[in-house]
Amino acid sequence: MTNARRNAIEHLAAAVREQLEVTTPADMTKVVTGLGGSLKAKTFDDPTISGMIQKVGDSFEISYNEEHSELRSTFTIAHELGHLFLHMGYLVDPEKWNRINEYRDSPKYRQGYSEEEYEANQFAGSFLMPESEYRQFVKDNSEDHKISIDMIAEHFGVSRDAALTRGKWLGIIRW
């Protein structure tokens, strides 16, 4: 993914947050319903699947694995929103959206094994942990250039792994 694409994804996530007046931590049920979609908790045949998205008429439905933790599901739902905007064109590319009959991502590979998965993860991280807010939180809560990842995760309502990965991508935390 190029820096230009990464920046475009950051801006899109920020625009969606602003339009929906999302505060931290993001209430993903409110976000999805605010966008006109629906959420469905379910048990997948394959327990490693975190979630999936599908077009339903002129709207969408996100299914997430009810056996996964709430923090993981939060990221999963944001990830699926990334697919919705970036790869399905919902509200951003009406022509693309109208051409979509059925969208299939690779839900098993939540960690990202394709460009689309990396982009959806980028959107999710940007949406749940906006760069400026993340940087400010770290600045306000670090001591001797150290900060608790658990504290960041709790603030943003995400898993420890998600908070750590976002900090690494932003260049705040070393790989």
Side-chain angles (χ1 to χ4, degrees):
M1 180 180 356
T2 65
N3 281 337
R5 180 68 172 165
R6 183 173 286 118
N7 289 336
I9 293 169
E10 290 274 342
H11 290 297
L12 176 61
V16 173
R17 276 183 70 100
E18 183 178 332
Q19 184 68 32
L20 295 174
E21 299 177 349
V22 175
T23 57
T24 300
D27 177 340
M28 296 311 292
T29 300
K30 186 177 176 183
V31 169
V32 170
T33 57
L35 289 167
S38 62
L39 282 173
K40 181 179 177 182
K42 66 183 273 186
T43 301
F44 291 93
D45 291 336
D46 179 345
T48 64
I49 294 176
S50 298
M52 58 192 309
I53 188 164
Q54 61 184 5
K55 184 176 181 178
V56 179
D58 287 334
S59 190
F60 64 94
E61 178 181 88
I62 295 175
S63 300
Y64 62 95
N65 194 327
E66 65 188 351
E67 296 177 7
H68 290 179
S69 73
E70 182 179 342
L71 297 179
R72 182 168 178 176
S73 293
T74 295
F75 192 89
T76 295
I77 294 164
H79 171 99
E80 297 304 331
L81 289 178
H83 286 303
L84 180 71
F85 293 113
L86 299 168
H87 310 125
M88 297 171 73
Y90 188 71
L91 300 178
V92 295
D93 186 344
E95 194 173 296
K96 182 187 256 186
W97 176 252
N98 289 330
R99 283 194 317 264
I100 297 278
N101 290 321
E102 185 174 334
Y103 178 80
R104 295 262 184 234
D105 66 352
S106 44
K108 185 172 183 176
Y109 303 110
R110 184 173 179 269
Q111 298 301 316
Y113 294 113
S114 72
E115 193 71 13
E116 283 191 1
E117 292 301 299
Y118 283 118
E119 289 179 350
N121 282 341
Q122 174 72 31
F123 180 90
S126 301
F127 185 81
L128 296 171
M129 299 168 276
E131 180 175 1
S132 60
E133 189 176 337
Y134 192 105
R135 289 183 184 284
Q136 190 64 50
F137 185 81
V138 169
K139 181 181 176 187
D140 292 346
N141 294 282
S142 60
E143 189 174 304
D144 295 325
H145 303 290
K146 294 178 184 176
I147 188 166
S148 163
I149 296 302
D150 292 327
M151 183 187 292
I152 297 170
E154 183 178 334
H155 174 76
F156 288 102
V158 298
S159 70
R160 187 178 197 288
D161 285 345
L164 181 62
T165 300
R166 181 70 170 150
K168 288 177 178 180
W169 277 108
L170 293 174
I172 296 169
I173 298 169
R174 281 190 264 164
W175 286 93

